[in-house]
Structures are given as C-alpha cells and as structure tokens.
C-alpha cells in the first residue's frame, strides 16, 4: 500500500501542518526510499527537507507545486530536480507571494464585513513559518467556533464562489512549465482529476497541449484518484510519452485521507520513476 517513492507532500511552509524534518522521520519509519517536498509556490522548506532526508538516509528531489490559471477546475504543475536557487524561479515565486500578500487582507475584510470577529493577528498565529493562506483562516474559524470543521470553513466562507472568497493572481500553465524547465527541472501535471474535465477527449486535448509546452510527466497515482482514473491517466501518459508519477498529496492534519506514501492500493511508484525524472532533467 505504501509506495517506496512519494513525490507529492506539503509541509508547514505552505498548507501542511508539519515541519519537513518531521515528515522525513515519518517517511523513514514507513520505509519510503525517495521523496520530494512539493510545497505550494515556495521553496522555503527545501533546505530543511534536504538536511533531514540525508539524515534519514532517504533520497530526495527538489520539488514545488505551482497553481496555474485554468477553467473549469484547478491546474497544478509539480516541478522536480530544478535548482532551488535559480534567479528567474525565485523572482516568479516572489511575485506569487506578493499576490498572496495583497489578497489575504481582502479575505480578512470580507469575513469582517460578514460579521465574523477575526483579526489578522489570529490568522498569522496559525502559521508557524512560511506563507499564510486560506487554511490558516479556516483554522481560526474552527477555533472560534464560527464553523464546525476545517472543510465547513471552505464550504461556507473561503471556497470558490463563497462569500469570503478572493481570487489570487496565477501564472499561465505555459509560464509555470517554462519557469520550472529554465531552472533545470521537469514539469509534471499534478492530480489530473482536479482539472474537472469529465470528457476524455477534452482531457486528452488539454494534456496534449501541456505536453507540447514541455510538460514531462503526469501524476497518475494520487490519494485523490480512484483506480479507473489512475488507469486512464497511465494510458494517456504513455500515449503522450510522459513519465508516470505518483504522490500522496500529504498535508498532515489538514488532509487526513492522504497518509504519507499512500496513493491508492493499485499504485506503482518505484525508484525507476526518480531515475526517469533525473534523466529528463539532465
Ligand atoms: P490559498 O493558496 O491560500 O488560496 O489556499 C489554498 C489551500 O487551501 C489549498 O492548497 C488547500 O490546502 C486549501 N483548500 C482550498 N480549497 C479547499 C476546500 N474546498 N476544502 C479544503 N481545503 C481547501
Ligand atoms: Zn496543498
Ligand atoms: Fe495540488
Ligand atoms: Fe498538493
């Protein structure tokens, strides 16, 4: 069930709940042999992850997950094996962090206008390190009993189309792929199910378009994708010459249905995937 390689997880530097070192210790206990930390739009946790992984004798890849502009669902691009010090990448991430910093006060103002008693201090206090985002707002709403659960916070206030939702600037898929590749990395389409494309013809057209832009892989195995989906993504990836990858999308306590190393009982994610990514990046 637990795969030897997990290429998708989040630490408290983005919207997970644990420090990278704690995730690496858990990975060692589970027998995971190679891992990539893929925090949203930040490389801040990578240095700590690399130290802890080396300590735990776990092989590691640099990683990131970038949110791209897309309709109707969400399009996330994973990056692997890039240089985390690449100037163009760091500049792009800085711009995204700037957009986040401009959006957060708007969410706060919307919540306050809705009569919710909440301050910026309370939100910041939910985030030990790294970036502040909607999960931290959600935790305050739960703590103050404005909503019952973390998910209710998104359902009632913070989710797309809900009264305290605020759009955030995103790069185009082309730009995400370009930035990752120019930093020496490989771009992989994360959890294709979240694209929200039910029609297989539409899905293939979209993924083919991304492949033409330089996409190198597809995350066929994910805790969020059932067997039928996984199989169809494997077939599509093979057809388009993409590397087939897998990741749990671990977020600690923020996502209890995605244990570290788990990406479906049918998943196959071994060390050859890591080799293929490295080869492609080189
Ligand atoms: P942000 O980047 O600040 O807009 O926050 C996005 C994060 O909020 C995602 O990465 C998820 O961790 C979380 N999130 C977004 N929508 C939902 C939802 N409907 N239910 C639970 N968590 C969500
Ligand atoms: Zn996340
Ligand atoms: Fe994602
Ligand atoms: Fe993720």
């Amino acid at each position: 069930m637990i795969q030897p390689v997990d290429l998708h997880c989040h630490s408290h530097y983005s919207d997970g709940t644990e420090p990278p070192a704690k995730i690496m210790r858990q990975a060692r206990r589970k027998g995971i042999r190679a891992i990539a930390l893929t925090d949203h739009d930040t490389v801040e946790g990578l240095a700590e992850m690399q130290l802890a992984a080396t300590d735990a004798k776990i092989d590691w890849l640099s990683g990131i997950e970038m949110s791209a502009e897309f309709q109707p669902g969400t399009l996330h691009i994973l990056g692997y094996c890039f240089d985390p010090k690449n100037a163009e990448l760091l500049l792009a991430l800085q711009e995204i962090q700037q957009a986040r910093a401009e959006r957060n006060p708007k969410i706060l103002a919307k919540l306050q206008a809705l009569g919710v008693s909440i301050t910026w201090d309370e939100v910041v206090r939910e985030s030990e390190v790294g970036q502040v985002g909607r999960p931290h707002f959600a935790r305050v709403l739960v703590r103050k009993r404005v909503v019952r659960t973390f998910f209710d916070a998104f359902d009632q206030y913070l989710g797309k189309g809900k009264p305290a939702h605020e759009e955030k600037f995103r790069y185009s898929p082309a730009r995400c792929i370009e930035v990752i590749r120019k930093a020496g990395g490989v771009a992989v389409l994360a959890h294709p199910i979240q694209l929200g494309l039910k029609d297989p013809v539409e899905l293939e057209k979209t993924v083919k378009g991304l492949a033409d832009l330089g996409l190198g892989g597809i995350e066929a195995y994910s805790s969020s994708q059932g067997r039928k989906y996984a199989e169809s993504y494997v077939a599509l990836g093979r057809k388009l010459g993409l590397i087939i990858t897998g990741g749990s999308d671990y977020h600690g306590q923020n996502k209890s249905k995605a244990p570290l190393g788990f990406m479906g009982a049918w998943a196959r994610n071994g060390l050859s995937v890591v080799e293929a990514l490295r080869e492609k990046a080189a």
Side-chain angles (χ1 to χ4, degrees):
M1 286 276 259
I2 299 301
Q3 296 302 306
V5 175
D6 192 338
L7 295 171
H8 191 156
C9 59
H10 300 269
S11 75
H12 68 177
Y13 283 94
S14 64
D15 58 345
T17 53
E18 295 166 354
K22 190 168 175 202
I23 301 173
M24 294 310 130
R25 287 196 293 274
Q26 187 189 161
R28 176 166 64 181
R29 284 198 300 277
K30 286 189 151 174
I32 291 172
R33 309 220 0 233
I35 199 161
L37 180 71
T38 53
D39 276 316
H40 297 276
D41 304 315
T42 178
V43 292
E44 252 194 292
L46 292 188
E48 188 181 324
M49 180 275 290
Q50 290 167 5
L51 276 176
T54 306
D55 219 39
K57 298 195 167 53
I58 295 172
D59 194 5
W60 54 263
L61 291 71
S62 56
I64 194 163
E65 181 173 23
M66 298 180 76
S67 302
E69 218 171 20
F70 187 72
Q71 293 288 343
T74 54
L75 201 174
H76 290 174
I77 305 272
L78 295 157
Y80 299 113
C81 307
F82 54 84
D83 170 14
K85 295 202 170 72
N86 178 271
E88 196 172 335
L89 172 72
L90 291 176
L91 200 67
L93 296 180
Q94 216 176 1
E95 261 183 66
I96 297 172
Q97 294 302 332
Q98 181 62 32
R100 174 179 291 284
E102 285 166 15
R103 180 209 58 172
N104 284 339
K106 294 184 189 162
I107 295 180
L108 185 75
K110 277 192 171 171
L111 285 169
Q112 289 168 338
L114 288 162
V116 176
S117 130
I118 181 171
T119 65
W120 179 241
D121 263 9
E122 290 169 323
V123 180
V124 172
R125 247 182 274 138
E126 291 295 331
S127 140
E128 294 152 66
V129 296
Q131 64 197 20
V132 177
R134 283 184 286 163
H136 307 101
F137 282 96
R139 291 173 76 93
V140 176
L141 296 182
V142 174
R143 189 178 301 282
K144 303 190 92 174
R145 299 176 194 270
V146 175
V147 294
R148 274 191 45 235
T149 70
F150 183 77
F151 295 99
D152 288 344
F154 285 91
D155 266 2
Q156 295 173 28
Y157 290 99
L158 302 164
K160 213 171 186 166
K162 306 299 170 179
H165 185 263
E166 266 294 331
E167 274 308 333
K168 181 164 99 274
F169 161 82
R170 291 150 189 264
Y171 280 123
S172 68
R175 180 70 181 139
C176 294
I177 293 170
E178 182 186 33
V179 165
I180 291 165
R181 292 185 77 203
K182 283 173 108 177
V186 185
V188 172
L189 174 62
H191 42 60
I193 196 166
Q194 290 182 24
L195 293 171
L197 299 173
K198 297 245 163 61
D199 175 9
V201 177
E202 273 299 299
L203 176 73
E204 178 164 346
K205 214 172 87 189
T206 299
V207 181
K208 167 82 166 56
L210 295 172
D212 291 342
L213 291 169
L215 188 81
I218 181 167
E219 189 179 59
Y221 304 118
S222 166
S223 57
S224 61
Q225 288 162 187
R227 180 173 200 149
K228 281 222 168 68
Y229 287 102
E231 282 169 353
S232 73
Y233 301 145
V234 168
L236 179 58
R238 291 215 176 111
K239 186 171 171 185
L240 297 172
L242 299 171
I243 300 170
I244 310 298
T245 74
S248 62
D249 211 355
Y250 181 71
H251 282 76
Q253 290 163 22
N254 278 350
K255 197 170 180 179
S256 58
K257 284 180 187 149
L260 194 64
F262 176 77
M263 43 206 91
W266 47 83
R268 293 278 175 281
N269 205 46
L271 290 168
S272 60
V273 181
V274 174
E275 253 171 66
L277 289 170
R278 286 195 173 129
E279 231 168 75
K280 187 125 200 163

